[in-house]
Amino acid sequence: MAKPLAVHAQAEHRALPPVTHDEFARQEFVRAFKEHLVKHVHGGNRAVYERKVKPAFERSHKRAPKTRFEVRDQMVHEPYYQMFSTLLRTSQEMMWSSCQKPVERDLPALNEVIAQPPRKAGGSLRLNPALEIPRYHTAVDIHCQPGGYHVEYMPGDASAGMVYDRAVHVYAMGQMGPYNNDMGASIAMWLQRHHPDFKPQRILDLGCSVGHSTLPYAEAFPDAEIHAIDVAAPMLRYAHARAEDLGVAVHYSQQNAEHTDFEDGSFDLIVSHILLHETAERAIHNIVRECHRLLRKGGMMIHAETPPYKGMDPFDAFLLDWDTRNNNEPFWARSHEIDLKTLSKKGGFDPALEFEDLIPSAFQVAQASRSQKFQGGDFGGGGLWFIYGNRK
Amino acid sequence: MSSAIKLKRRARGERPYFFADPNVDKVIAMVMGLAGEVAVMRDRLDTLERLLERTGALQRADIDAFRPDAEVVADRSAWREAFLGEVLRIVEIEVEALANGDQDRYDNAIALVEQRDVTPPSRAAGKNPARGKKVAPKAPARAVRKPAASTKVNKAPASGAKKPATRSATKKQAVVRRQPKPVAKKRARR
């Protein structure tokens, strides 16, 4: 494109499925719809709560609601919240639909591009058709992407990745940057600022999907060898083609982060980006244990998530919890309540070295237009990312 | 251009509904779907205008300055009226039914066709066996509001009709169907 991109536009690359005029307009509408909900509808829930629901609760209970469950029990009866929720759910469904249409239009041709990336950057792709897709991944299609990450419609299919790459950009309303890479870029920036002497030679990204969070580590640590894994082959095929076209060498392999085939002590840095809440209680412990096994002495694991509910105002926690019930994120709530020190300890790490931080977004251009809140349906709107990690 | 492959449209997992009547959620989804397509059309029109302006075929200011003459006004009025007639058709049919005297309950038509020869039928040709008799049809659980036992079948069959110009049970689109009252069940919210 000759003209400069708008702040909220997605950067093109050759793996990204092209869109027609109307397909693009449809995606733009969904983005505008979501922005409108964030800017003009979302906040009304708090008004309804503060002025109506909470006073009524206080009259009948002689105290304010203490938990997000108490808030929810009241709020679900509020027509305003019902309307907000049905609109938000609808926006999610329209988002997937608007991103599926360009992919469906000529999938075999698009998959040919994926099979033979036009450029070569020196990365690799290793698939394992025998890998069992975990039950927590197949029980419901996470964040309502029809067919989830793993369903394949033809041999060599990458449709889930094609749909996802566009959809993430619409979902975050462009707040994660033109390459959707803000989570990885923000962690890399944080590492450079807070650990300037830390120079990882081998980096592993867990649950990488299309690799949008993986690539910024290559820029921050140009000498490092970068690996990334996911359970879903369609995502990895796409991720590989995308990275190659963007000129970044990443070694993708189809593996479950709970048990990988990498050698003990083979990585200096292991990262994940909003992976943990997509797993399950048992899996999350397995993943931390696997991180411990894979890290070298002095190595570091960092997981990005939305902030834990602990200490959060019950109303904020209730709103942040929207996705658990309404957007096919069954483990969201529980994963936000797990004691992270205990998680570290059980995984073999020293709980004294456990760290948690809210780190600033690397995509500062978007800051002025962000809501600067953590709330359901406003991904990347906080302008901060929550990280949790440990050192071996 | 379209490949034969159809992607799944529905995400696996129970869909939440937020209003007591899930149809409210559905209507909202329809409205937003429609709004989305209006926006797509608006963008397309905008593109068209910009392209035409670029080629010099049109100045966008001319569109705003355009004042329809009487003929254009008449054309557009006629189109709008036809359009509204289609969209608001559902409102008119009720009044039309009243005007036609077509006020029979749909249950009567069901009762009529489900009528069995339990009572000695008058087999005279062209005569309605059920005419003038009380019928106790097997009440269809679906659409009955009032006890069906007292329903009088007073409709002539379409064939041997005395007044062929009026009501006919086969003209289903002209019958105001009475649906059972919607059960305003509170759905368990997840």
PDB file of all heavy atoms in Angstrom, chain A residues 106-126:
ATOM      1  N   ASP A 106     -11.773 -18.700  -1.309  1.00  0.00           N
ATOM      2  CA  ASP A 106     -10.918 -19.535  -2.163  1.00  0.00           C
ATOM      3  C   ASP A 106      -9.825 -20.204  -1.328  1.00  0.00           C
ATOM      4  O   ASP A 106      -8.638 -19.934  -1.504  1.00  0.00           O
ATOM      5  CB  ASP A 106     -10.312 -18.690  -3.292  1.00  0.00           C
ATOM      6  CG  ASP A 106      -9.826 -19.581  -4.433  1.00  0.00           C
ATOM      7  OD1 ASP A 106      -9.995 -20.824  -4.338  1.00  0.00           O
ATOM      8  OD2 ASP A 106      -9.273 -19.051  -5.404  1.00  0.00           O
ATOM      9  N   LEU A 107     -10.248 -21.061  -0.437  1.00  0.00           N
ATOM     10  CA  LEU A 107      -9.314 -21.668   0.504  1.00  0.00           C
ATOM     11  C   LEU A 107      -8.179 -22.457  -0.158  1.00  0.00           C
ATOM     12  O   LEU A 107      -7.024 -22.301   0.233  1.00  0.00           O
ATOM     13  CB  LEU A 107     -10.083 -22.533   1.523  1.00  0.00           C
ATOM     14  CG  LEU A 107      -9.238 -23.152   2.627  1.00  0.00           C
ATOM     15  CD1 LEU A 107      -8.472 -22.095   3.403  1.00  0.00           C
ATOM     16  CD2 LEU A 107     -10.118 -23.956   3.592  1.00  0.00           C
ATOM     17  N   PRO A 108      -8.463 -23.292  -1.175  1.00  0.00           N
ATOM     18  CA  PRO A 108      -7.346 -24.052  -1.758  1.00  0.00           C
ATOM     19  C   PRO A 108      -6.227 -23.149  -2.281  1.00  0.00           C
ATOM     20  O   PRO A 108      -5.046 -23.439  -2.068  1.00  0.00           O
ATOM     21  CB  PRO A 108      -8.018 -24.823  -2.902  1.00  0.00           C
ATOM     22  CG  PRO A 108      -9.450 -24.959  -2.467  1.00  0.00           C
ATOM     23  CD  PRO A 108      -9.767 -23.689  -1.749  1.00  0.00           C
ATOM     24  N   ALA A 109      -6.588 -22.042  -2.919  1.00  0.00           N
ATOM     25  CA  ALA A 109      -5.567 -21.131  -3.441  1.00  0.00           C
ATOM     26  C   ALA A 109      -4.786 -20.483  -2.298  1.00  0.00           C
ATOM     27  O   ALA A 109      -3.567 -20.327  -2.384  1.00  0.00           O
ATOM     28  CB  ALA A 109      -6.221 -20.056  -4.309  1.00  0.00           C
ATOM     29  N   LEU A 110      -5.480 -20.137  -1.231  1.00  0.00           N
ATOM     30  CA  LEU A 110      -4.801 -19.512  -0.091  1.00  0.00           C
ATOM     31  C   LEU A 110      -3.840 -20.500   0.567  1.00  0.00           C
ATOM     32  O   LEU A 110      -2.739 -20.136   0.980  1.00  0.00           O
ATOM     33  CB  LEU A 110      -5.831 -19.019   0.937  1.00  0.00           C
ATOM     34  CG  LEU A 110      -6.743 -17.868   0.479  1.00  0.00           C
ATOM     35  CD1 LEU A 110      -7.831 -17.607   1.516  1.00  0.00           C
ATOM     36  CD2 LEU A 110      -5.934 -16.598   0.245  1.00  0.00           C
ATOM     37  N   ASN A 111      -4.266 -21.755   0.644  1.00  0.00           N
ATOM     38  CA  ASN A 111      -3.399 -22.767   1.250  1.00  0.00           C
ATOM     39  C   ASN A 111      -2.150 -23.029   0.414  1.00  0.00           C
ATOM     40  O   ASN A 111      -1.113 -23.425   0.945  1.00  0.00           O
ATOM     41  CB  ASN A 111      -4.178 -24.070   1.479  1.00  0.00           C
ATOM     42  CG  ASN A 111      -4.940 -24.040   2.790  1.00  0.00           C
ATOM     43  OD1 ASN A 111      -4.520 -23.364   3.741  1.00  0.00           O
ATOM     44  ND2 ASN A 111      -6.055 -24.746   2.860  1.00  0.00           N
ATOM     45  N   GLU A 112      -2.250 -22.804  -0.891  1.00  0.00           N
ATOM     46  CA  GLU A 112      -1.063 -22.957  -1.743  1.00  0.00           C
ATOM     47  C   GLU A 112       0.000 -21.922  -1.385  1.00  0.00           C
ATOM     48  O   GLU A 112       1.193 -22.231  -1.371  1.00  0.00           O
ATOM     49  CB  GLU A 112      -1.443 -22.801  -3.226  1.00  0.00           C
ATOM     50  CG  GLU A 112      -1.801 -24.129  -3.875  1.00  0.00           C
ATOM     51  CD  GLU A 112      -2.310 -23.937  -5.291  1.00  0.00           C
ATOM     52  OE1 GLU A 112      -1.714 -23.132  -6.039  1.00  0.00           O
ATOM     53  OE2 GLU A 112      -3.326 -24.591  -5.633  1.00  0.00           O
ATOM     54  N   VAL A 113      -0.444 -20.709  -1.114  1.00  0.00           N
ATOM     55  CA  VAL A 113       0.494 -19.654  -0.700  1.00  0.00           C
ATOM     56  C   VAL A 113       1.174 -20.052   0.608  1.00  0.00           C
ATOM     57  O   VAL A 113       2.373 -19.857   0.792  1.00  0.00           O
ATOM     58  CB  VAL A 113      -0.250 -18.306  -0.532  1.00  0.00           C
ATOM     59  CG1 VAL A 113       0.703 -17.220  -0.043  1.00  0.00           C
ATOM     60  CG2 VAL A 113      -0.917 -17.895  -1.834  1.00  0.00           C
ATOM     61  N   ILE A 114       0.379 -20.637   1.508  1.00  0.00           N
ATOM     62  CA  ILE A 114       0.916 -21.037   2.804  1.00  0.00           C
ATOM     63  C   ILE A 114       1.941 -22.159   2.645  1.00  0.00           C
ATOM     64  O   ILE A 114       2.973 -22.188   3.306  1.00  0.00           O
ATOM     65  CB  ILE A 114      -0.239 -21.508   3.731  1.00  0.00           C
ATOM     66  CG1 ILE A 114      -1.243 -20.373   3.975  1.00  0.00           C
ATOM     67  CG2 ILE A 114       0.292 -22.081   5.040  1.00  0.00           C
ATOM     68  CD1 ILE A 114      -0.697 -19.170   4.698  1.00  0.00           C
ATOM     69  N   ALA A 115       1.644 -23.086   1.735  1.00  0.00           N
ATOM     70  CA  ALA A 115       2.530 -24.240   1.549  1.00  0.00           C
ATOM     71  C   ALA A 115       3.879 -23.815   0.972  1.00  0.00           C
ATOM     72  O   ALA A 115       4.895 -24.445   1.256  1.00  0.00           O
ATOM     73  CB  ALA A 115       1.860 -25.256   0.625  1.00  0.00           C
ATOM     74  N   GLN A 116       3.868 -22.765   0.166  1.00  0.00           N
ATOM     75  CA  GLN A 116       5.125 -22.292  -0.430  1.00  0.00           C
ATOM     76  C   GLN A 116       5.277 -20.807  -0.187  1.00  0.00           C
ATOM     77  O   GLN A 116       4.965 -19.984  -1.054  1.00  0.00           O
ATOM     78  CB  GLN A 116       5.126 -22.598  -1.929  1.00  0.00           C
ATOM     79  CG  GLN A 116       5.278 -24.080  -2.171  1.00  0.00           C
ATOM     80  CD  GLN A 116       5.059 -24.473  -3.608  1.00  0.00           C
ATOM     81  OE1 GLN A 116       4.338 -23.804  -4.328  1.00  0.00           O
ATOM     82  NE2 GLN A 116       5.670 -25.567  -3.998  1.00  0.00           N
ATOM     83  N   PRO A 117       5.755 -20.466   1.010  1.00  0.00           N
ATOM     84  CA  PRO A 117       5.902 -19.039   1.329  1.00  0.00           C
ATOM     85  C   PRO A 117       6.767 -18.355   0.281  1.00  0.00           C
ATOM     86  O   PRO A 117       7.807 -18.902  -0.114  1.00  0.00           O
ATOM     87  CB  PRO A 117       6.599 -19.049   2.688  1.00  0.00           C
ATOM     88  CG  PRO A 117       6.356 -20.399   3.268  1.00  0.00           C
ATOM     89  CD  PRO A 117       6.216 -21.328   2.101  1.00  0.00           C
ATOM     90  N   PRO A 118       6.337 -17.186  -0.177  1.00  0.00           N
ATOM     91  CA  PRO A 118       7.068 -16.496  -1.250  1.00  0.00           C
ATOM     92  C   PRO A 118       8.485 -16.111  -0.857  1.00  0.00           C
ATOM     93  O   PRO A 118       9.351 -15.999  -1.703  1.00  0.00           O
ATOM     94  CB  PRO A 118       6.227 -15.236  -1.494  1.00  0.00           C
ATOM     95  CG  PRO A 118       4.940 -15.449  -0.788  1.00  0.00           C
ATOM     96  CD  PRO A 118       5.160 -16.454   0.273  1.00  0.00           C
ATOM     97  N   ARG A 119       8.707 -15.916   0.427  1.00  0.00           N
ATOM     98  CA  ARG A 119      10.060 -15.570   0.873  1.00  0.00           C
ATOM     99  C   ARG A 119      10.571 -16.640   1.819  1.00  0.00           C
ATOM    100  O   ARG A 119       9.798 -17.380   2.413  1.00  0.00           O
ATOM    101  CB  ARG A 119      10.029 -14.235   1.625  1.00  0.00           C
ATOM    102  CG  ARG A 119      10.226 -13.034   0.742  1.00  0.00           C
ATOM    103  CD  ARG A 119      10.171 -11.768   1.564  1.00  0.00           C
ATOM    104  NE  ARG A 119      11.253 -11.679   2.537  1.00  0.00           N
ATOM    105  CZ  ARG A 119      11.417 -10.614   3.329  1.00  0.00           C
ATOM    106  NH1 ARG A 119      10.586  -9.607   3.277  1.00  0.00           N
ATOM    107  NH2 ARG A 119      12.424 -10.585   4.183  1.00  0.00           N
ATOM    108  N   LYS A 120      11.880 -16.713   1.973  1.00  0.00           N
ATOM    109  CA  LYS A 120      12.470 -17.672   2.913  1.00  0.00           C
ATOM    110  C   LYS A 120      13.294 -16.906   3.947  1.00  0.00           C
ATOM    111  O   LYS A 120      14.094 -16.042   3.582  1.00  0.00           O
ATOM    112  CB  LYS A 120      13.390 -18.671   2.183  1.00  0.00           C
ATOM    113  CG  LYS A 120      12.678 -19.480   1.106  1.00  0.00           C
ATOM    114  CD  LYS A 120      11.931 -20.670   1.676  1.00  0.00           C
ATOM    115  CE  LYS A 120      11.287 -21.484   0.574  1.00  0.00           C
ATOM    116  NZ  LYS A 120       9.890 -21.821   0.805  1.00  0.00           N
ATOM    117  N   ALA A 121      13.077 -17.240   5.206  1.00  0.00           N
ATOM    118  CA  ALA A 121      13.841 -16.560   6.254  1.00  0.00           C
ATOM    119  C   ALA A 121      14.712 -17.542   7.031  1.00  0.00           C
ATOM    120  O   ALA A 121      15.467 -17.140   7.907  1.00  0.00           O
ATOM    121  CB  ALA A 121      12.892 -15.830   7.199  1.00  0.00           C
ATOM    122  N   GLY A 122      14.558 -18.833   6.742  1.00  0.00           N
ATOM    123  CA  GLY A 122      15.406 -19.825   7.409  1.00  0.00           C
ATOM    124  C   GLY A 122      14.761 -20.503   8.601  1.00  0.00           C
ATOM    125  O   GLY A 122      15.421 -21.226   9.346  1.00  0.00           O
ATOM    126  N   GLY A 123      13.475 -20.287   8.798  1.00  0.00           N
ATOM    127  CA  GLY A 123      12.757 -20.971   9.870  1.00  0.00           C
ATOM    128  C   GLY A 123      12.352 -22.363   9.431  1.00  0.00           C
ATOM    129  O   GLY A 123      12.671 -22.805   8.331  1.00  0.00           O
ATOM    130  N   SER A 124      11.627 -23.067  10.325  1.00  0.00           N
ATOM    131  CA  SER A 124      11.215 -24.427   9.977  1.00  0.00           C
ATOM    132  C   SER A 124       9.846 -24.734  10.560  1.00  0.00           C
ATOM    133  O   SER A 124       9.335 -23.998  11.412  1.00  0.00           O
ATOM    134  CB  SER A 124      12.245 -25.435  10.508  1.00  0.00           C
ATOM    135  OG  SER A 124      12.278 -25.371  11.927  1.00  0.00           O
ATOM    136  N   LEU A 125       9.273 -25.833  10.080  1.00  0.00           N
ATOM    137  CA  LEU A 125       7.948 -26.259  10.540  1.00  0.00           C
ATOM    138  C   LEU A 125       7.979 -27.774  10.735  1.00  0.00           C
ATOM    139  O   LEU A 125       8.325 -28.517   9.816  1.00  0.00           O
ATOM    140  CB  LEU A 125       6.886 -25.887   9.494  1.00  0.00           C
ATOM    141  CG  LEU A 125       5.458 -26.381   9.743  1.00  0.00           C
ATOM    142  CD1 LEU A 125       4.862 -25.731  10.982  1.00  0.00           C
ATOM    143  CD2 LEU A 125       4.574 -26.078   8.528  1.00  0.00           C
ATOM    144  N   ARG A 126       7.636 -28.190  11.936  1.00  0.00           N
ATOM    145  CA  ARG A 126       7.635 -29.629  12.242  1.00  0.00           C
ATOM    146  C   ARG A 126       6.259 -29.971  12.806  1.00  0.00           C
ATOM    147  O   ARG A 126       5.886 -29.519  13.886  1.00  0.00           O
ATOM    148  CB  ARG A 126       8.734 -29.896  13.285  1.00  0.00           C
ATOM    149  CG  ARG A 126       8.969 -31.340  13.656  1.00  0.00           C
ATOM    150  CD  ARG A 126      10.367 -31.521  14.281  1.00  0.00           C
ATOM    151  NE  ARG A 126      10.566 -30.722  15.480  1.00  0.00           N
ATOM    152  CZ  ARG A 126      10.383 -31.177  16.729  1.00  0.00           C
ATOM    153  NH1 ARG A 126      10.012 -32.414  16.948  1.00  0.00           N
ATOM    154  NH2 ARG A 126      10.603 -30.382  17.780  1.00  0.00           N
TER     155      ARG A 126
END
